[in-house]
């Protein structure tokens, strides 16, 4: 673990650089060798080994030992995003696994829940067509909509669980106000053949009871931060994944010949590379200049705007990188198709583009009133 | 009963009931047909093609749909052979020739081959893109035999295999042009001019000795006959000649099948030719006619590839629409929300535009430009439809099968039969005279 000298708000440039160096070293030595064959699923043993090393490096939090791990309150938001982006250049699935492990820990601590907890933030049917925006602004929504907006026992929910949790925490609506519950009565079905991000543990979860209420001081704020950090992390991971794919694509474009010249000489390929490069630059620029925390409905809507604008762009970029490889891009051993699948999954988790837009629009309408 | 946001069909303001009040002479101009778009499209076909389309759909439902997920996880041993046997008996592996030589009914013998193949692969791929390719690739492999123009070749190589397939012993073809260092080069003329072919044929007594390697050959792992394109020794790609290699020929082997993103039921095989002796009787078409046959095959097959994309996208649409109609959010079904209605309408109109393109482009002799335009438009649109279908299902769209599989299957249609970049250039190549005339000011 990297020793740091100051608290986050004052984290020195040297400390920040040391943390990033350690994270880069960790990705090169602990992650990259374990994911170098994209056609083979990473074993559970390798995933567990990466988790343990990430914890000892200080990338993942130690329960009871606050530090500068991913999403800990003292960790600058930009630092968490940079570590996730760096990890995703090797494997978006592993980055998403770490992202969720850090985020679930952060939310569980905010809820005052000890132990191994996972957070299930939605009912598996989107953001309620704008209902969530109403709730976060203190506006009424129908009980039926609110019921389906959050997890409940009647509906199995596809979700990602980077570890087997002892209990799950989830939001719900009580007396018109957002609250949280916890439950250890649930069943899980692993979904090893999901579309993407399989390293993060796709599963279908069914709650077997309604759980018991937990009472954080500001439940809306906990939820807002959880959703906002989830969205920003997903964006940083998608950007990192495309950056990794782009490096491979531009190298391939220089090596592969068609029509007697390197394919990098052809406008058809250059346009694909430029498409990816433009998307990466747009996403990277957008991910600078973020607030230090995601605490208000305005902050959350801003994150959702970035997600709605950038995820489709990054998916297009991932497809462009894959297309540079021609037939080889479709083969699992080249890894390009995996980046496309992972970016597709990142576009869907935490709210699809349409759901995000409906939330943004609802929030705008409420603000205009 | 009506979806939220609409009046019921029996309401006086609904077009369905309003049109019934029109003067009977005028009523014929107003369509009030509540049948599905699939049914409406089918009724526009000739009687023979109508019956064929219905049979195809029934076959896909009975033989392909329930095997789709198993084949996606493990192509070998999950029913591909059973599908081939059933398809062979049903005549779907012998549909280039009319009865009694093949399986084409006489009431649709005048329908363009490309159109019939397109109808077939759309229906099959709506159930499973991979199994659709298993059955479609057979036609691709057999096409050079037909395009050789030689009745002798057809009777020697096609008819016996057709008979075996019809008898329940499937004998399929595969088409082998792509080489490890030449994907696009063997699909476009400018690249071909500069390309050094890796698979070559050396003249020997009574035939030829083939040496080399082909990659990404759809159905190459199960085919009993492969139409292989090779350059004559010491010559360039302009000497390309088509040779029919039979599976049991000494020196032929399948080195591996690729691990693919999708369309996994169909093996993309790497084929190795080590001094394989091919008798003169197995030369398909004239010597040095291979390039022409190859380009003709691509022109004929790119429209069915567009139909493969259409079928896969239709499968994704059907899954997502079923999800929207059977899942609730609050006190309404998802289909009752306007954004969901908009998304489904967009998929419907994308599919409609794709089908219109395929049906319009499928002719006895689709031009290079028309074939490539259909392929590019439909494959790009199919991927978009699959993305939208996944989007509509949210996190459920990540679970194995349905739109996520369709996306993986559809993505290949932007690559094979020439990448969409190469196909766009093929459009320009085909329209070069017009463009040159414009450039020279003579048009």
């Amino acid at each position: 673990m990297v020793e740091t000298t100051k608290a986050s708000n004052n984290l020195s440039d040297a400390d920040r650089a040391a943390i990033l160096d350690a994270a880069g070293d960790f990705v090169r030595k602990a992650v990259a060798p374990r994911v170098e064959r994209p056609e083979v699923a990473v074993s559970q043993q390798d995933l567990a080994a990466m988790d343990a090393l990430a914890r000892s490096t200080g990338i993942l939090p130690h329960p009871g030992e606050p530090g500068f791990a991913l999403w800990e309150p003292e960790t600058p938001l930009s630092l968490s995003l940079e570590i996730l982006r760096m990890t995703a250049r090797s494997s978006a699935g592993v980055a998403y696994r770490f992202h969720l492990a850090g985020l679930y820990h952060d939310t569980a601590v905010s809820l005052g829940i000890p132990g191994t907890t996972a957070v299930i933030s939605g009912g598996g049917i989107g953001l309620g067509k704008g209902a969530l925006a109403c709730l976060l602004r203190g506006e009424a929504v129908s009980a039926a909509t609110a019921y389906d907006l959050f997890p409940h026992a009647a509906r199995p929910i596809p979700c990602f669980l980077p570890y087997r949790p002892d209990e799950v925490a989830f939001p719900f609506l009580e007396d018109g106000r957002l609250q949280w519950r916890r439950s250890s009565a649930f069943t899980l079905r692993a979904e090893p053949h999901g579309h993407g991000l399989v390293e993060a543990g796709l599963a279908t979860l069914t709650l077997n009871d309604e759980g018991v209420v937990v009472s954080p001081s500001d439940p809306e704020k906990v939820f807002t931060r959880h959703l906002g950090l989830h969205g920003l992390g997903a964006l940083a991971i998608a950007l990192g994944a495309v950056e990794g794919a782009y490096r491979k694509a531009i190298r391939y474009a220089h090596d592969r010949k068609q029509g007697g010249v390197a394919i990098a000489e052809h406008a058809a390929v250059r346009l694909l590379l430029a498409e990816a490069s433009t998307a990466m630059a747009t996403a990277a620029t957008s991910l600078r200049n973020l607030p230090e925390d995601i605490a208000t409905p305005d902050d959350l809507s801003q994150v959702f705007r970035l997600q709605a604008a950038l995820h489709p762009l990054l998916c297009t970029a991932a497809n462009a990188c894959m297309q540079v490889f021609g037939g080889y891009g479709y083969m699992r051993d080249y890894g390009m198709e995996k980046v496309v699948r992972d970016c597709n999954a990142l576009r869907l988790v935490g709210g699809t583009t349409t759901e995000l837009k409906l939330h943004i629009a609802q929030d705008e309408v409420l603000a205009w009133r | 009963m009506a979806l939220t946001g609409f009046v019921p069909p029996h309401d006086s303001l609904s077009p369905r009931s309003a049109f019934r009040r029109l003067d009977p002479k005028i009523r014929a101009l107003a369509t009030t047909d509540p049948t599905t778009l699939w049914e409406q499209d089918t009724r526009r076909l000739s009687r023979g093609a109508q019956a064929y389309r219905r049979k195809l759909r029934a076959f896909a439902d009975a033989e392909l749909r329930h095997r789709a997920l198993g084949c996606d996880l493990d192509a070998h041993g999950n029913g591909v052979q059973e599908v081939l046997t059933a398809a062979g008996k049903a005549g779907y592996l012998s549909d280039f020739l009319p009865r009694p030589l093949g399986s084409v009914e006489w009431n649709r013998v005048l329908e363009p081959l490309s159109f019939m193949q397109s109808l077939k692969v759309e229906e099959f791929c709506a159930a499973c893109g991979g199994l659709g390719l298993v059955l479609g690739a057979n036609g691709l492999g057999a096409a050079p035999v037909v395009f050789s123009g030689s009745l002798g070749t057809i009777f020697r190589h096609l008819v016996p295999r057709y008979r075996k397939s019809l008898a329940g012993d499937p004998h399929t073809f595969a088409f082998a042009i792509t080489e490890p260092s030449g994907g696009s080069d063997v699909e476009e003329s400018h690249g071909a001019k500069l390309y050094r072919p890796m698979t070559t044929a050396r003249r020997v007594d009574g035939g030829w000795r083939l040496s080399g390697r082909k990659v990404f050959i759809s159905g190459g792992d199960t085919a009993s006959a492969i139409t292989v394109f090779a350059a004559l020794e010491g010559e360039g790609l302009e000497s390309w000649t088509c040779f029919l290699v039979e599976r049991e020929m000494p020196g032929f082997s399948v080195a591996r099948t690729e691990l693919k993103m999708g369309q996994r039921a169909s093996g993309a095989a790497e084929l190795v030719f080590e001094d394989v002796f091919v008798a003169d009787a197995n030369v398909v078409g004239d010597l040095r006619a291979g390039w022409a046959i190859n380009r003709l095959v691509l022109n004929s097959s790119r429209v069915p590839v567009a139909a493969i994309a259409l079928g896969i996208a239709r499968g994704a649409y059907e899954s997502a629409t079923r999800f929207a109609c059977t899942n609730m959010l609050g006190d309404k079904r998802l289909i009752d929300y306007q954004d969901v209605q908009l998304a489904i309408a967009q998929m419907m109109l994308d599919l409609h535009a794709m089908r219109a393109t395929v049906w319009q482009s499928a002719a006895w002799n689709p031009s290079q430009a028309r074939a490539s335009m259909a392929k590019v438009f439909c494959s790009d649109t199919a991927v978009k439809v699959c993305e939208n279908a996944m989007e509509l299902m949210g996190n459920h769209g990540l679970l194995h099968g349905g739109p996520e599989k369709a996306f993986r299957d559809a993505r290949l249609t932007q690559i094979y039969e020439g990448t969409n970049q190469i196909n766009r250039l093929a459009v320009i190549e085909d329209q070069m005279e017009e463009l040159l005339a414009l450039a020279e000011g003579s048009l």
Side-chain angles (χ1 to χ4, degrees):
Chain A
M1 189 181 298
V2 176
E3 293 298 323
T4 52
T5 53
K6 293 177 185 172
S8 75
N9 291 340
N10 301 311
L11 192 69
S12 71
D13 288 347
D15 284 344
R16 185 187 170 90
I19 291 172
L20 286 174
D21 274 352
D25 202 43
F26 164 77
V27 172
R28 270 190 304 281
K29 291 177 180 166
V31 178
R34 290 181 168 87
V35 298
E36 67 183 358
R37 291 191 61 196
E39 78 278 19
V40 179
V42 182
S43 69
Q44 290 302 315
Q45 291 91 324
D46 275 339
L47 289 170
M50 281 189 274
D51 290 345
L53 288 165
R55 201 156 278 117
S56 65
T57 312
I59 290 171
L60 288 180
H62 281 271
E65 292 179 39
F68 292 95
L70 286 170
W71 305 127
E72 286 199 282
E74 296 300 312
T75 308
L77 200 146
S78 60
L79 183 61
S80 289
L81 293 178
E82 189 52 41
I83 292 170
L84 290 175
R85 180 175 166 186
M86 190 186 282
T87 310
R89 287 180 196 133
S90 282
S91 168
V94 171
Y96 192 60
R97 179 183 180 86
F98 293 166
H99 172 37
L100 292 186
L103 185 62
Y104 290 172
H105 175 80
D106 174 69
T107 304
V109 168
S110 300
L111 294 171
I113 302 175
T116 311
T117 306
V119 179
I120 310 301
S121 59
I125 211 84
L127 302 173
K129 314 291 181 193
L132 179 62
C134 293
L135 280 179
L136 294 177
R137 294 278 182 193
E139 299 279 332
V141 300
S142 84
T145 302
Y147 183 66
D148 277 342
L149 181 58
F150 300 122
H152 57 70
R155 193 196 301 274
I157 302 165
C159 58
F160 285 93
L161 299 171
Y163 43 77
R164 187 175 177 89
D166 295 330
E167 58 182 352
V168 293
F170 53 94
F172 78 108
L173 194 73
E174 186 160 280
D175 298 331
R177 193 171 174 212
L178 189 84
Q179 286 293 355
W180 286 83
R181 281 182 175 162
R182 59 197 278 196
S183 170
S184 54
F186 54 85
T187 49
L188 291 176
R189 191 182 69 214
E191 303 283 357
H193 306 297
H195 188 72
L197 302 173
V198 290
E199 296 84 354
L202 181 62
T204 301
L205 179 141
T206 307
L207 285 170
N208 297 328
D209 67 10
E210 296 297 321
V212 295
V213 176
V214 288
S215 302
S217 59
D218 192 342
E220 284 96 348
K221 191 174 173 187
V222 173
F223 193 42
T224 301
R225 177 175 159 86
H226 179 87
L227 291 178
L229 296 188
H230 179 271
L232 288 177
L235 267 180
I237 293 167
L239 171 58
V242 172
E243 286 171 337
Y246 182 79
R247 285 181 191 173
K248 290 183 186 173
I250 202 157
R251 190 182 313 135
Y252 184 83
H254 279 96
D255 293 345
R256 176 77 175 179
K257 287 192 169 178
Q258 197 272 324
V261 296
I263 61 172
E265 298 298 317
H266 293 299
V269 172
R270 288 183 173 193
L271 290 171
L272 292 170
L273 292 170
E275 183 141 35
S277 166
T278 305
M280 289 187 301
T282 307
T285 305
S286 302
L287 283 178
R288 290 181 199 125
N289 304 321
L290 293 169
E292 264 309 306
D293 195 9
I294 307 300
T296 67
D298 285 342
D299 294 338
L300 186 60
S301 277
Q302 186 57 16
V303 173
F304 283 0
R305 283 186 197 97
L306 292 180
Q307 285 183 264
L310 296 177
H311 274 305
L313 208 57
L314 290 167
C315 284
T316 304
N319 273 291
C321 291
M322 176 178 162
Q323 192 73 6
V324 168
F325 279 72
Y328 290 100
Y330 198 71
M331 305 308 154
R332 279 150 60 191
D333 30 355
Y334 279 74
M336 305 305 285
E337 61 84 31
K338 186 173 189 307
V339 174
V340 168
R341 289 188 286 110
D342 287 343
C343 283
N344 280 350
L346 288 162
R347 196 185 73 234
L348 299 183
V349 293
T352 66
T353 306
T354 306
E355 284 287 339
L356 295 169
K357 286 178 179 172
L358 290 172
H359 178 102
I360 294 160
Q362 180 67 68
D363 210 34
E364 297 277 0
V365 168
L366 291 172
W368 187 81
R369 271 190 208 154
Chain B
M1 288 272 287
L3 296 175
T4 301
F6 300 89
V7 297
H10 59 75
D11 188 282
S12 60
L13 289 177
S14 159
R16 291 243 198 281
S17 51
F19 286 164
R20 283 191 209 106
R21 296 194 294 275
L22 287 169
D23 182 288
K25 296 190 290 298
I26 301 300
R27 205 183 301 156
L29 300 175
T31 301
T32 58
D33 188 354
T35 56
T36 62
L37 288 172
W38 188 92
E39 184 61 34
Q40 290 177 36
D41 285 339
T42 303
R43 288 177 189 172
R44 296 174 58 195
L45 300 172
S46 70
R47 290 184 67 170
Q50 278 189 39
Y52 184 53
R53 196 171 193 230
R54 293 183 201 288
K55 260 179 63 180
L56 292 165
R57 185 172 185 160
F59 181 84
D61 285 340
E63 300 291 344
L64 308 188
R65 201 172 297 281
H66 67 282
R67 293 188 166 107
L69 290 187
C71 288
D72 187 58
L73 293 180
D74 175 16
H76 303 286
N78 261 317
V80 171
Q81 199 55 40
E82 288 84 344
V83 166
L84 283 169
T85 302
K89 285 182 185 171
Y92 300 130
L93 298 178
S94 51
D95 49 5
F96 280 1
L97 298 176
R99 291 182 187 280
L101 300 175
S103 58
V104 179
E105 305 286 353
W106 281 95
N107 63 0
R108 57 183 173 86
V109 77
L110 294 178
E111 299 280 1
L113 198 56
S114 178
F115 188 37
M116 290 299 101
Q117 292 296 308
S118 295
L119 288 184
K120 180 173 83 171
V121 292
E122 182 196 333
E123 292 308 317
F124 290 175
C125 290
C128 176
L131 288 169
L133 179 62
V134 166
L135 301 177
N138 171 60
L140 181 66
V145 178
V146 175
F147 293 156
S148 71
S150 159
L151 283 177
T153 302
I154 291 171
F155 272 91
R156 199 158 42 242
H157 298 299
L158 204 57
V159 173
R161 287 186 169 81
Y162 274 14
R163 288 200 175 126
K164 285 177 182 167
S165 291
L166 283 162
D169 177 18
H171 275 58
T172 57
F173 289 83
F175 178 70
I177 57 171
T178 305
E179 302 189 343
S181 59
S184 297
D185 277 331
V186 298
E187 287 161 345
E188 64 98 10
S189 310
H190 180 258
K193 197 105 188 133
L194 301 160
Y195 181 66
R196 277 180 66 89
M198 290 179 68
T199 306
T200 55
R202 176 169 54 89
R203 189 73 173 126
V204 293
D205 195 22
W208 300 83
R209 290 271 176 191
L210 252 63
S211 297
R213 204 169 267 263
K214 298 283 182 181
V215 292
F216 306 155
I217 307 307
S218 295
D221 55 338
T222 50
S224 80
I226 299 141
T227 40
V228 181
F229 291 73
L232 304 186
E233 191 179 32
E235 299 184 45
L237 209 134
E238 67 282 352
S239 73
W240 245 20
T241 300
C242 181
F243 299 90
L244 190 131
V245 172
E246 295 170 50
R247 187 173 197 79
E248 59 276 10
M249 286 179 171
F252 168 76
S253 61
V254 178
R256 56 178 256 160
T257 53
E258 302 286 349
L259 295 168
K260 293 188 294 178
M261 181 188 205
Q263 298 200 17
R264 293 178 182 165
S266 169
E270 180 171 346
L271 309 180
V272 178
F273 308 91
E274 292 173 301
D275 226 20
V276 178
F277 176 73
V278 183
D280 284 329
N282 281 31
V283 174
V284 177
D286 292 336
L287 292 178
R288 299 181 183 80
W291 182 248
I293 291 174
N294 169 44
R295 297 303 293 264
L296 182 58
V297 170
L298 290 176
N299 285 358
S300 305
S301 65
R302 280 173 177 163
V303 179
V305 166
I308 286 176
L310 164 62
I312 293 168
R314 195 181 103 198
Y317 154 80
E318 287 170 352
S319 295
T321 304
R322 183 174 297 279
F323 181 85
C325 291
T326 54
N327 277 276
M328 304 287 288
L329 172 61
D331 51 7
K332 291 196 289 188
R333 296 162 299 202
L334 287 176
I335 187 65
D336 287 304
Y337 288 87
Q338 193 176 70
D339 64 293
V340 174
Q341 294 165 358
L342 292 170
I344 288 175
Q346 182 63 46
M347 286 191 265
M348 283 179 173
L349 70 89
D350 283 338
L351 292 171
H352 179 67
M354 290 163 76
R355 189 170 298 107
T357 301
V358 169
W359 287 16
Q360 170 71 19
S361 306
W364 274 112
N365 56 346
S367 73
Q368 179 171 307
R370 285 179 193 282
S372 289
M373 287 190 290
K375 190 266 189 192
V376 171
F377 173 72
C378 290
S379 57
D380 283 352
T381 308
V383 169
K384 193 176 80 177
V385 169
C386 294
E387 284 174 344
N388 289 340
M390 287 179 74
E391 171 99 9
L392 202 146
M393 291 174 66
N395 278 15
H396 294 266
L398 296 175
L399 300 178
H400 181 230
E404 79 80 25
K405 174 179 178 295
F407 176 90
R408 291 186 285 107
D409 289 350
R411 190 61 184 80
L412 183 53
T413 62
Q414 293 178 308
I415 297 172
Y416 64 16
E417 228 72 349
T419 64
N420 279 5
Q421 285 68 30
I422 285 293
N423 270 276
R424 285 185 173 91
L425 295 174
V427 175
I428 299 299
E429 181 182 49
D430 198 41
Q431 296 302 298
M432 190 155 46
E433 287 84 350
E434 182 184 348
L435 298 171
L436 284 172
L438 279 169
E440 291 162 1
S442 59
L443 193 67

